[in-house]
Amino acid sequence: MTPARTFASLLAMLPPLLAMAMVAKLNREQRGVVISAIAVTVLASLLFGALQLSAGSSGDWRPYGNDNLGFLNGFQANRNAQADVLLIGLVAGAVTLRERRDRIGRMLTNWLLGGLVLSIVLGCVLTGSRAGIVLIPIALAAVVGLHFARRIGLRGALGGLAGSIGALIVGYIALRGAGPVS
């Protein structure tokens, strides 16, 4: 229907595909650095979003205009993209903590993971993105699977996946007729 937009969409897919190909060539330690950088960038975006919310209706700290006042946008142009970024950062943060568990200790790692989960889930809810909120259980299932895989085993991981799917269905039913989250 619109060849120019179709071509633009195709071109927009090139940077992530190239990044994926470049990261695939890295060794484990180098990939860990990339994942850590993603996690740190997402935390910075979350903090920037907190500044946006603290500014209230003044519109300060909003580089893309005042379209989504009252919602957390972070570095993104809209709240849906911010919710996606936060959920990706949640998984990246869990991987980063898992890789450093031996260096910083199991107890501290668990506390840091709990703080990460709480802050990012709260940030995702504050975006007001219904799709982002519904995807929270899937990201949490990935975090549990990545962080606690050795302790819970395959049976526990499958149970967590089933629970996440159940929560996703319940969330869909609950939000099916709802208007925008505010």
Side-chain angles (χ1 to χ4, degrees):
M1 302 287 270
T2 54
R5 287 188 178 180
T6 303
F7 185 66
S9 297
L10 178 67
L11 290 177
M13 291 179 66
L14 289 178
L17 289 174
L18 290 173
M20 189 171 67
M22 289 188 294
V23 169
K25 297 283 185 184
L26 301 176
N27 64 33
R28 182 183 175 117
E29 183 178 318
Q30 293 167 329
R31 283 192 306 264
V33 169
V34 171
I35 291 172
S36 298
I38 290 169
V40 167
T41 303
V42 168
L43 288 175
S45 182
L46 183 65
L47 291 174
F48 189 64
L51 285 173
Q52 292 169 344
L53 289 177
S54 70
S57 61
S58 70
D60 292 341
W61 301 101
R62 294 200 177 262
Y64 301 109
N66 297 334
D67 292 340
N68 292 313
L69 287 177
F71 297 103
L72 190 142
N73 283 19
F75 296 141
Q76 308 307 311
N78 64 59
R79 56 194 178 147
N80 293 319
Q82 177 66 7
D84 293 340
V85 166
L86 289 174
L87 294 174
I88 290 167
L90 178 59
V91 176
V95 169
T96 300
L97 288 172
R98 186 195 69 202
E99 292 298 316
R100 287 164 178 70
R101 181 174 29 207
D102 293 335
R103 286 186 231 151
I104 62 176
R106 184 175 303 277
M107 184 66 81
L108 181 58
T109 301
N110 290 340
W111 279 102
L112 288 172
L113 181 65
L116 177 75
V117 167
L118 286 175
S119 59
I120 289 194
V121 167
L122 177 64
C124 194
V125 169
L126 290 174
T127 64
S129 168
R130 289 175 289 182
I133 293 168
V134 169
L135 290 172
I136 289 172
I138 294 173
L140 289 177
V143 167
V144 168
L146 288 167
H147 196 70
F148 299 106
R150 291 183 187 153
R151 283 191 261 167
I152 63 175
L154 179 62
R155 187 177 217 171
L158 290 176
L161 180 61
S164 296
I165 291 171
L168 184 65
I169 291 169
V170 168
Y172 171 76
I173 291 169
L175 294 174
R176 182 176 52 188
V181 176
S182 58

